[in-house]
């Protein structure tokens, strides 16, 4: 289920602007990897290249390779739609589909793709995904209510349930807690802890405590200045990054001296 | 020495007009204006109202200036000007409604909605042929325009990049400005190619009206699609849903209410068109259910025809014209109500 991600010499351009430069890293299966760094350093841009979501932005393109269990995402003839079925994504702001009920939101990956599913299978999938997202007990009595009728934290967990309902191999999270209160954040961090038994998880966060709480490995990104490309400065075990980083900039950032 | 209670003054308090003051001023100025006109011996309702309005604005402003100070006075001056502008805007609307209702009531009977004008000279007869014609032509127009309009809008918002999209947008803007008579001539010229000179067909009317309807639909649908948050599209892509299914199952349902409203407004916009129908659909006194065969009457042309060519009993023709106009307004109103209903049913539910 869970897969290894290898990134080789990756560069991301927005039209002619080089946004992210020369990234090399390997993400092991069944781990949580956190991306930290100041705003605008290309964490989210890089995260989006891991399931080709950057292509939604006009003019964005990529040089280099991203291998998922050895398959290059950017090889000739790769269908981004198939990539995204294996690499799910959770966004910064909760975005349940407003026209659908809670149940239909969980089933969105199946229903939107016109796949047939029997009612019992659908019920099982809804329950399994919502339990997986720690949301089942809160919404089991109102599955037919609109997805936008629950609180922000619940909506975000609904989005996670929606993402894991299509059983991806990798789950990308782009600042999943930045719009949530501490209680909801805690709920999602616990959830990440559980999900890591089945999925490879990559999370972008601005919250360094969160990175140190949830992740096994941490990558620190930085930019030299506005208009310069973002770079991967250091990538190591989370403990090492937060206690004995080998680069001065990392130490300055994690200790709060800048950023 | 007697202790006199000094009035408590607060830095936060200021003079304030009583809340009925504007009403008293209106009654007062109305009385003054009426008296002036009566003395001059020429009572004229419009004149009295205009003088009242001017007097009211000036008195109200001056009074507020003395009692409340210049900031409040400015506020009250602007408020009264805005209200007067609103009332002026209402005048034609109410006037049209009242005139059509009173004049149209005379023939608002069963005959009018069950009979055509075949073999009718003078009194009696009805506009069934015109109502069917209007409904058929508008239906055909919608069948032609709605798919083209919505698909164009989808292309412009979801796919269109660069030159082609810019040109389409430009041409749609140009189309919006086409005079309706030109649309009629276009439909005539088009049908002449296939059917020869002097062709009159209901479907020609639908083609002419489509030329007017398509740009309105494109514009309104475009705006509605742009309102759909990008996050929803991204959420769908991230689930591995292809683009066409995302548009079909996420973008369109989310914006459906707005699109339906836009379509209904565009129907209301073309249903009253007269000029193109006079050219290409012609007019007739008989029922015609076939868009592809022969002349077809529509309500606007019925109204025009009854008024322009009054027969032996002129009053009967004028009455029919008014009732035709009333039916047209009622049809448009009914369509708007249906649109509201549909929009309510389909709009995303946000309630808990």
């Amino acid at each position: 289920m869970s897969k290894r991600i290898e990134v080789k010499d990756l560069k991301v351009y927005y039209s002619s602007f080089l946004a992210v430069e020369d990234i090399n890293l390997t993400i092991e299966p069944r781990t949580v990897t956190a991306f930290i760094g100041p705003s605008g350093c290309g964490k989210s841009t890089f995260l989006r290249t891991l399931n080709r979501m950057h292509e939604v932005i006009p003019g964005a393109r990529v040089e280099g390779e991203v291998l998922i269990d050895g398959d290059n995402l950017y090889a000739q003839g790769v269908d981004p739609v198939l990539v995204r079925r294996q690499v799910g994504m959770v966004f910064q702001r909760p975005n349940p589909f407003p026209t659908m009920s809670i149940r239909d939101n969980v089933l969105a990956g199946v229903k939107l793709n016109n796949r047939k599913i029997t009612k019992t299978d659908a019920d099982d999938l809804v329950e399994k995904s919502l339990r997986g997202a720690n949301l089942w007990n809160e919404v089991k009595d109102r599955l037919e209510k609109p997805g936008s009728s629950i609180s922000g934290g619940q909506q975000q967990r609904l989005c996670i349930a929606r993402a894991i309902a299509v059983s991806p191999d990798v789950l990308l999270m782009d600042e999943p807690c930045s719009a949530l209160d501490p209680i909801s954040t805690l709920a999602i961090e616990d959830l990440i802890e559980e999900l890591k038994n089945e999925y490879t998880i990559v999370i972008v966060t601005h919250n360094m405590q969160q990175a140190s709480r949830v992740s096994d490995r941490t990558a620190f990104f930085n930019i030299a200045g506005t208009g310069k490309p973002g770079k991967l400065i250091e990538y190591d075990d989370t403990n090492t990054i937060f206690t004995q980083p080998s680069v001065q900039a990392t130490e300055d950032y994690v200790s709060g001296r800048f950023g | 020495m007697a202790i006199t209670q000094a009035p408590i003054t607060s830095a936060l308090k200021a003079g304030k007009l009583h809340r009925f003051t504007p009403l008293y001023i209106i009654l007062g100025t109305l009385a003054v204006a009426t008296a002036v006109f009566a003395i001059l011996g020429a009572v004229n309702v419009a004149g009295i109202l205009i003088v009242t309005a001017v007097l009211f604005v000036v008195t109200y402003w001056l009074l507020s200036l003395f009692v409340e100070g210049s900031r409040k006075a400015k506020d009250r001056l602007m408020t009264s000007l805005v209200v007067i502008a609103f009332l002026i805007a209402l005048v034609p609307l109410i006037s049209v409604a009242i005139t059509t209702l009173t004049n149209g009531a005379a023939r608002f009977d069963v005959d009018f909605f069950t009979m055509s004008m075949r073999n009718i000279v003078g009194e009696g007869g009805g506009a069934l042929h015109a109502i069917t014609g209007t409904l058929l032509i508008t239906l055909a127009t919608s069948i032609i325009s709605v798919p083209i309009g919505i698909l164009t809008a989808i292309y412009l918002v979801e796919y269109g990049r660069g030159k082609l999209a810019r040109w389409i947008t430009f041409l749609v803007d140009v189309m919006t400005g086409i005079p309706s008579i030109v649309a009629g001539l276009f439909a005539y010229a088009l049908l002449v190619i296939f059917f020869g000179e002097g062709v009159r067909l209901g479907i020609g009317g639908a083609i002419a009206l489509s030329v007017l309807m398509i740009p309105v639909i494109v514009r309104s649908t475009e705006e509605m699609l742009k309102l759909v948050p990008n996050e929803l599209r991204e959420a769908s892509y991230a689930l591995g849903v292809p683009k066409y299914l995302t548009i079909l199952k996420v973008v369109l349902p989310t914006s459906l209410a707005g699109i339906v409203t836009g379509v209904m407004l565009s129907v209301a916009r073309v249903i009253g068109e007269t000029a193109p129908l006079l050219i290409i659909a012609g007019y007739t006194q008989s029922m015609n259910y076939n868009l592809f065969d022969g002349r077809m009457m529509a309500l606007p042309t019925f109204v025009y025809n009854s008024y322009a060519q009054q027969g032996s009993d002129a009053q009967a023709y004028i009455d029919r014209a008014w009732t035709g106009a009333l039916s047209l307004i009622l049809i448009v109103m009914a369509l708007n109500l249906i649109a509201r209903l549909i929009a309510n049913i389909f709009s995303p539910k946000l309630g808990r």
Side-chain angles (χ1 to χ4, degrees), chain B residues 85-171:
Chain B
F86 166 68
L87 291 178
I88 292 175
L90 274 187
V91 168
L93 186 67
I94 293 172
S95 155
V96 165
I98 291 176
T99 327
T100 327
L101 269 176
T102 47
N103 290 321
R107 280 302 321 275
F108 201 79
D109 49 27
V110 177
D111 272 1
F112 190 84
F113 294 98
T114 50
M115 291 175 75
S116 74
M117 284 298 290
R118 192 171 180 88
N119 298 332
I120 302 278
V121 181
E123 275 186 27
L128 184 62
H129 59 313
I131 294 171
T132 1
T134 284
L135 292 180
L136 279 176
I137 290 178
T138 313
L139 184 71
T141 310
S142 310
I143 290 174
I144 300 173
S145 315
V146 171
I148 297 181
I150 291 182
L151 290 175
T152 308
I154 290 176
Y155 172 78
L156 287 178
V157 175
E158 304 287 339
Y159 293 95
R161 297 268 175 274
K163 263 195 177 150
L164 182 59
R166 273 205 303 279
W167 270 102
I168 293 176
T169 313
F170 174 70
L171 291 176

Side-chain angles (χ1 to χ4, degrees), chain A residues 27-47:
Chain A
I27 295 168
E28 295 297 328
R30 293 194 180 79
T31 57
V32 178
T33 305
F35 292 173
I36 59 170
S39 290
C41 68
K43 313 176 292 291
S44 296
T45 301
F46 172 53
L47 188 77

